[in-house]
Structure formats: structure tokens, C-alpha cells
């Protein structure tokens, strides 16, 4: 047989074998649909990488956590230390603390992995927080993504719990101080607080059960829930499609961007390697949580300069700012100075986060699907509320270190505490007012550019000597990008005989008008209005 015909025969045989194998695979798995997934479009804006940072931080946490699990002993039974760290020789300590020291000084690479794990944990919580801010400020939580927003808030809450559990496991003096604070917070809950504390600690603080229980929660319960919810979150992202910024060719009915294979996969893999490399460098050169400096936990001691990780620092600040309010009710002492800032405040905070998408939909009356991101300046009230929340959090975070600030700057601690008390009330409304003003100023600037155009750099002089700056109109694409925003009209008191409206309806209308107050209207021609309607048209069923 000639060589060319034999080669064609081999190619035909290989093709038929491949088709037969793919057909059998597709009968058992959705292999044919996988091709659509590989061509899924991912927006190429950097802001959409924040969620991937959180995902890859979780992967680093899992990889390093498996290594640490092999060497950590969570028991609280005490023994005398005779390890390689000389300053603690002969010190009584729990096996949890002793195993942490052994992991840091005797296990090859143990300290490096410990510090990578800690830095990755901080990055994980930070990435989730910034990712949620991006979603909030761009309105990506609106229909049909309310459920995914609630999953994201739950992931953030679980990340805080996971971080606290891991922070407490070494049983050093610093983490033990945090556990003492947690015991006080649980005990402040009326009626059931004492029972919760006894259940968690296995008796009077510090008990013998808290570290083993936190260990189980840290390596098994919360990671399992996290992985399950991250999977559900990603499935919803694929099913509901990504949101995207407005731009040429982008509408409420499509998604334009880079395909998963090879562009997105290559970029995303590079991001993972960069993240892993940065955490490895930080773990190698930036010391974090040196537990050997604090010593083992003792209930009669408090660590100097005891500060929690940043993500729970706002609770520490709230506890320090709250006046010492207590009441004796029915034979029980209610510690309002602990219960309000450490139980009620975070409860209200997360309740607001869970319910905000439904609150905005109720206030605006907007029930349509939204796949285009809002620019923060176009939703001045929402942006102002978000910045006010960030400023309030920042004030509480700074208040959590008021002793260090007072010592470092040689200030009066009492005076500084009162400054923070005033700031936590005054600063958020002030931030809202300033942010709203900036957003409206940016809108007015865009209206001016649309009406008059940009400066061309040319100056003309009339026969009378008047000088006029030359203007050139904005490109059509930029005009459409600035104009193609969806602005639901505020609810109105109509018909005129609206005196019979209920208080509930009047409250809704009042809030709706406050939400859209001072919105800047852009100059729109009839042709542009038709293009805007086409861009914001709802997706086809």
C-alpha cells in the first residue's frame, strides 16, 4: 500500500476511534456541553479578578492547612516544655501550644508554612471584603443575583469565623486573651449566655474542650461549608453570566470578554501563581503572629499590646468605645457595654448586608434584570451609604488600637476615646454627604462634556478681540457609554387623591424620592434615547 494511502487510513481510523470515544463519554457525562463552558466569556476588567483572588487564597489555605494539620496537637492537657526554644524551657504549657512551637522550630519548613497560612488567611478575608464592595458599588447584587449576594455575605461571615478559630488554636497568651473576650461576649447574652459559654468551653473558662472543638470547626466543619458554598457561588456565576461594564457592543442581553480557554485560563493561572508567590515571600520575610514571644496562656495574665487580626478589630473598637452600662434585671446582670457592641452591632450589620438588595428593590420599585454594572457616581445615594459604612468601620478599627495610638503619640487615652466616640457618630454622615456631593459633581461634569464637548486645544479670536476656546464633541461610543444608564424614576404620590395612602406606602415613596434626590439628567436626543433603550432592554426569555 502506498505510504500516502496508509497514512490516510490511519488518520481515518484515529478519527473514528476519537468520535466513538467522545460519543460514549457524552452518553455518561455532559461532554458536549463542556465545549460551551470552555467558550464562556469572562469580562477583562481588573475589578472582576477580586473574586478570583479570594478563591485562590482559599486554595492556598487548604494546601498549607493540610500540612499544618499533620503536626498540630489540639489537646489542652499540660506538660513541661523541653523543646528547642530555650527561653521557654521548663515552662508549663498545653500540648496545643507545645505543638505550635515544635511546628515553628523543629519541623522543616513548618514556620514558613505557618506564616504563609496566616498571610493567606488575611488575604482571603480582605479579597472577599473588597469583592463584596465592588459588587455593592456597581449594583451587581440586583435581580437575578440576590441569592448569590446572600451566599457571598455568608461566605464572608464564615471567613471571619474560620479566621477566629485558626487565630485561637495556638493557645498562646495573645489568642487566649481573645478567647477570654469571646467568653465575655457569650456570657453577655441574656438568659442563655452562661449556658453557651459552659457548652463551648466545657465548663468554667478556660476549660479543657475549647481548643479541640475549635480545631474540629476550623479543619472540618467550616471548610466543608465554605467549599460547598463556593461551588454553589461559582455555579450561579456560570448560570447567571457575569455582569459587565457598559461599552460599545455591550448590552443587557450579552456578555463580551475573553473566552475561558485559553485567554482567561492563562491569565487566571498567572494570577494564582503571583498570589502564591507573594504569600510565600511574605511568609519568608515578614514575621506574623510570633507566638513564642507571648508565651503560653494563663488566665491571670493579659498580653501586652493585645490586638486581634484586622477583620475583627472593629468589634474590639466597639467594645472599647461603649460606656460601662449595666443593669440588674430579675436577679441577672445585663452587660449592655458588651452585649450591644459585640452581639447586637455585628448582628445588625450582617442583617443589613443580607437584606439590602431587597431594600433597594423595594425603595426604587425596579424589578427588572440587570446585567450591566452601575458606575458608582450614577448611584450617589448607594455610593454614599457604602462609603459611610466603610468610614464607620475604619473609626471602630482605629478605636480598637486606641491604647497604642495614645502611647505612640503621647496623647490622653480618655480624650482619644471620646474623640473616637464622637467620630463614630459624626464621621459616617459626614462621609455620606461628601461622597454624594462628589458623585453629583462628577455627574455635572459629564453633563457639561456631553453638552459642550471637550477642549480641542485651539483658541480662536473674533474681529472684536474676543477669545473663544475650541470644543470638539465626544466620540459617539463614549457618548453612548455615558448615557446608557438605567435610571428608574422615583415613586410619586399619584394620583392626586393620594391622601388615602397608608403609612407604609408613604414611607416607601419618601425613601424613594430621597434615594434619587438631586439626580443629574443628561442631555439626550431621540436617536440616543432609542440606542439607550436597546442597550438596557431586558434579556429575552
Amino acid at each position: 500500500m502506498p505510504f500516502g494511502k496508509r497514512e490516510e487510513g490511519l488518520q481515518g481510523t484515529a478519527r473514528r476511534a476519537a468520535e466513538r470515544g467522545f460519543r460514549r463519554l457524552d452518553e455518561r457525562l455532559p461532554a458536549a456541553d463542556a465545549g460551551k463552558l470552555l467558550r464562556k466569556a469572562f469580562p477583562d476588567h481588573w475589578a472582576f479578578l477580586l473574586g478570583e483572588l479570594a478563591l485562590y487564597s482559599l486554595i492556598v489555605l487548604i494546601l498549607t492547612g493540610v500540612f499544618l494539620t499533620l503536626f498540630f496537637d489540639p489537646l489542652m492537657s499540660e506538660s513541661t516544655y523541653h523543646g528547642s526554644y530555650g527561653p521557654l524551657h521548663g515552662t508549663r504549657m498545653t500540648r496545643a501550644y507545645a505543638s505550635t512551637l515544635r511546628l515553628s522550630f523543629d519541623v522543616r519548613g513548618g514556620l514558613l508554612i505557618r506564616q504563609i497560612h496566616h498571610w493567606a488567611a488575611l488575604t482571603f478575608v480582605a479579597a472577599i471584603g473588597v469583592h463584596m464592595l465592588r459588587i455593592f458599588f456597581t449594583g451587581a447584587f440586583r435581580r437575578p443575583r440576590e441569592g448569590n449576594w446572600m451566599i457571598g455575605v455568608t461566605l464572608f461571615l464564615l471567613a471571619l469565623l474560620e479566621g477566629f478559630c485558626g487565630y485561637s488554636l495556638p493557645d498562646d497568651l495573645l489568642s487566649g486573651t481573645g478567647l477570654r473576650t469571646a467568653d465575655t461576649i457569650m456570657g453577655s447574652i441574656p438568659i442563655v449566655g452562661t449556658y453557651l459559654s459552659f457548652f463551648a468551653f466545657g465548663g468554667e473558662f478556660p476549660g479543657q474542650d475549647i481548643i479541640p472543638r475549635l480545631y474540629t470547626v476550623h479543619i472540618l466543619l467550616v471548610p466543608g461549608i465554605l467549599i460547598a458554598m463556593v461551588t454553589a457561588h461559582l455555579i450561579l456565576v456560570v448560570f447567571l453570566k457575569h455582569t459587565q461594564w457598559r461599552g460599545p457592543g455591550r448590552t443587557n442581553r450579552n456578555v463580551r470578554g475573553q473566552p475561558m480557554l485559553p485567554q482567561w485560563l492563562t491569565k487566571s493561572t498567572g494570577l494564582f501563581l503571583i498570589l502564591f508567590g507573594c504569600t510565600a515571600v511574605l511568609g519568608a520575610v515578614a514575621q506574623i503572629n510570633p507566638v513564642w514571644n507571648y508565651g503560653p496562656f494563663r488566665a491571670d495574665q493579659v498580653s501586652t499590646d493585645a490586638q486581634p487580626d484586622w477583620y475583627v478589630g472593629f468589634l474590639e473598637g466597639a467594645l472599647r468605645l461603649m460606656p460601662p452600662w449595666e443593669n440588674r434585671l430579675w436577679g441577672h446582670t445585663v452587660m449592655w457595654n458588651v452585649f450591644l457592641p459585640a452581639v447586637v452591632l455585628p448582628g445588625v450589620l450582617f442583617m443589613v448586608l443580607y437584606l439590602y438588595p431587597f431594600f433597594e428593590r423595594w425603595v426604587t420599585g425596579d424589578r427588572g434584570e440587570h446585567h450591566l454594572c452601575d458606575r458608582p457616581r450614577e448611584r450617589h445615594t448607594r455610593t454614599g451609604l457604602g462609603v459611610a459604612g466603610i468610614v464607620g468601620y475604619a473609626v471602630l478599627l482605629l478605636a480598637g488600637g486606641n491604647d497604642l495610638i495614645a502611647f505612640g503619640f503621647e496623647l490622653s487615652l480618655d480624650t482619644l476615646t471620646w474623640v473616637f466616640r464622637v467620630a463614630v457618630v459624626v464621621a459616617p454622615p459626614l462621609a455620606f454627604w461628601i461622597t454624594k456631593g462628589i458623585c453629583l459633581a462628577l455627574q455635572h461634569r459629564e453633563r457639561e462634556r456631553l453638552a459642550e464637548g471637550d477642549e480641542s486645544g485651539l483658541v480662536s479670536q473674533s474681529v472684536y478681540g474676543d477669545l473663544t476656546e475650541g470644543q470638539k464633541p465626544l466620540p459617539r461610543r463614549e457618548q453612548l457609554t455615558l448615557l446608557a444608564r438605567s435610571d428608574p424614576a422615583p415613586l410619586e404620590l399619584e394620583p392626586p387623591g393620594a391622601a388615602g395612602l397608608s403609612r407604609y406606602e408613604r414611607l416607601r415613596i419618601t425613601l424613594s424620592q430621597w434615594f434619587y434626590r438631586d439626580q443629574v439628567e443628561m442631555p439626550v436626543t431621540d436617536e440616543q434615547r432609542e440606542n439607550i433603550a436597546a442597550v438596557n432592554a431586558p434579556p429575552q426569555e
Side-chain angles (χ1 to χ4, degrees), residues 159-178:
L160 298 181
L161 175 61
E162 181 77 341
F164 173 76
C165 292
Y167 178 83
S168 304
L169 288 181
D171 201 27
D172 60 290
L173 187 55
L174 183 61
S175 65
T177 303

Side-chain angles (χ1 to χ4, degrees), residues 20 48 85 102 178 188 221 366 373 389 431 515 529:
R20 185 165 55 250
F48 293 91
Y85 185 64
R102 183 170 67 90
S188 71
L221 181 61
D366 182 9
C373 293
F515 200 89
R529 190 173 287 107

